[in-house]
């Protein structure tokens, strides 16, 4: 989905992603977790909705529910890991630049980080 967003998202969405990733970083680093969680949901929802793939777009609400649920059941870190923030930035930059490989690699890092975090809980 990240790679497809880099290829298909309109300029308004592509330009929003790096700004959103930077806002997420600021919120996460300053401990404003409610803001961070809201922006994380927006980030992943935009990515899915503007991937140019109807199946991915349809998963947007499900992914938002999963992200909210992860917070509610305590499977979300008290502070986002720096590597997770870096990976979101990489995805965002890939989408902005239209670099599908960069966006895909950044998302792979996000998925790996989440898998590691959830498996140690």
């Amino acid at each position: 989905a990240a790679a497809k967003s880099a290829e298909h998202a309109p300029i308004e969405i592509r330009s929003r992603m790096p700004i959103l990733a930077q806002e997420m970083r600021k919120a996460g680093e300053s401990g404003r977790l409610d803001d961070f969680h809201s922006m994380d949901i927006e980030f992943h929802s935009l990515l899915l909705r503007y991937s140019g793939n109807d199946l991915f777009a349809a998963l947007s609400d499900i992914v938002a529910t999963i992200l909210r649920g992860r917070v509610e059941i305590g499977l979300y870190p008290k502070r986002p890991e720096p590597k997770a923030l870096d990976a979101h930035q990489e995805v965002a930059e890939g989408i902005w630049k239209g670099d599908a490989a960069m966006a895909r690699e950044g998302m792979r890092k996000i998925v790996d980080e989440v898998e590691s975090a959830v498996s140690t809980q």
Side-chain angles (χ1 to χ4, degrees):
K4 292 296 183 187
S5 287
E7 296 170 350
H8 297 287
I11 190 68
E12 301 82 24
I13 300 303
R14 290 179 40 212
S15 65
R16 171 82 177 120
M17 299 304 281
I19 295 165
L20 187 54
Q22 186 60 35
E23 290 172 355
M24 288 172 63
R25 179 179 298 278
K26 288 178 187 176
E29 289 175 346
S30 68
R32 293 181 293 116
L33 295 182
D34 288 342
D35 292 340
F36 176 83
H37 296 145
S38 294
M39 287 184 272
D40 193 30
I41 290 167
E42 180 184 356
F43 184 92
H44 291 282
S45 293
L46 289 173
L47 185 149
L48 290 163
R49 276 193 237 129
Y50 291 96
S51 65
N53 181 303
D54 290 341
L55 178 60
F56 289 151
L59 294 173
S60 177
D61 290 339
I62 294 168
V63 170
T65 299
I66 290 168
L67 290 172
R68 281 188 206 95
R70 189 174 168 215
V71 170
E72 291 170 6
I73 63 173
L75 291 178
Y76 219 93
K78 297 295 180 204
R79 287 218 165 174
E81 292 289 330
K83 63 185 173 183
L85 296 172
D86 293 344
H88 279 80
Q89 192 73 46
E90 184 175 354
V91 171
E93 288 298 319
I95 292 171
W96 165 240
K97 294 176 180 177
D99 186 334
M102 176 188 275
R104 181 184 300 110
E105 178 62 16
M107 186 55 68
R108 184 195 59 75
K109 291 174 185 174
I110 292 170
V111 170
D112 288 350
E113 192 274 329
V114 169
E115 179 184 23
S116 175
V118 170
S119 68
T120 60
Q121 295 285 326

